[in-house]
Amino acid sequence: MAREPRLSYLLADCEQPNEMYDTVLLPTDGSESAETVVEHARDVAVRRGADVHVLYVVDDRAFLTMDDDRVPEVTDQLQAEGERATSEVAAAFEREDLDVTTELRQGDPADEILAAAADRDADLVVMGSHGADPTRNLLGSVSQEVVTRSSVPVLTVNVADQ
């Protein structure tokens, strides 16, 4: 029997925590577990009539140890994966007749998520967390950094067991 994902409502320090959510930022990594995160973001967006911005970040930190001649090929592959992932996620919101945009960025995932939230004036970030061991870390490293540094609320969905 599939276990229901546990939802963690972790809010960053917010200037106006009672403000309605007009724009939801949804970072995705394209994994199957991201579907659970999409469901939660869709619920918020439908209830609030919010616009949704789907983001995929090509994590270029891995390129530091890669042979220079392989970087363009790997970048192209990751960008193609990002296009596929954002298109699939966007389709779920378009079926709900919600306004949705997609974007690919390259860089450090936490930095790019925070920059996209600022650029899009997002009111809420909805993202997955892979942090399964509470004795080590409550959240995955990217989600933890986003929660810690974000000026808007961050809804994390535990996807560690999926």
Side-chain angles (χ1 to χ4, degrees):
M1 179 177 190
R3 187 180 131 227
E4 283 296 314
R6 202 175 46 217
L7 245 154
S8 301
Y9 289 90
L10 298 172
L11 301 179
D13 291 333
C14 302
E15 294 170 11
Q16 299 174 346
N18 294 324
E19 194 172 352
M20 292 187 73
Y21 304 128
D22 295 321
T23 304
V24 174
L25 175 65
L26 175 58
T28 185
D29 63 3
S31 66
E32 285 185 31
S33 63
E35 189 173 315
T36 302
V37 181
V38 171
E39 291 299 317
H40 289 287
R42 185 167 52 199
D43 183 64
V44 171
V46 167
R47 289 175 190 260
R48 300 293 185 157
D51 296 338
V52 178
H53 184 69
V54 182
L55 174 68
Y56 182 95
V57 179
V58 174
D59 186 350
D60 65 3
R61 296 174 300 177
F63 300 161
L64 296 175
T65 59
M66 189 178 295
D67 291 336
D68 289 343
D69 59 331
R70 294 209 50 227
V71 171
E73 175 188 348
V74 173
T75 300
D76 289 346
Q77 289 172 350
L78 292 173
Q79 287 176 339
E81 170 61 21
E83 291 287 345
R84 182 203 58 78
T86 56
S87 294
E88 287 178 6
V89 171
F93 291 96
E94 290 167 347
R95 286 191 293 271
E96 298 288 343
D97 202 28
L98 294 167
D99 290 333
V100 61
T101 56
T102 62
E103 179 181 13
L104 266 64
R105 289 182 179 227
Q106 184 171 327
D108 177 275
D111 290 344
E112 294 303 325
I113 291 167
L114 292 165
D119 293 348
R120 296 292 176 163
D121 291 324
D123 303 301
L124 176 69
V125 177
V126 180
M127 62 188 300
S129 174
H130 296 279
D133 184 354
T135 62
R136 289 185 52 211
N137 206 351
L138 178 62
L139 300 171
S141 60
V142 173
S143 55
Q144 181 179 25
E145 189 168 349
V146 172
V147 167
T148 302
R149 294 174 46 203
S150 181
S151 62
V152 299
V154 177
L155 169 64
T156 62
V157 180
N158 184 354
V159 296
D161 296 332
Q162 298 183 15

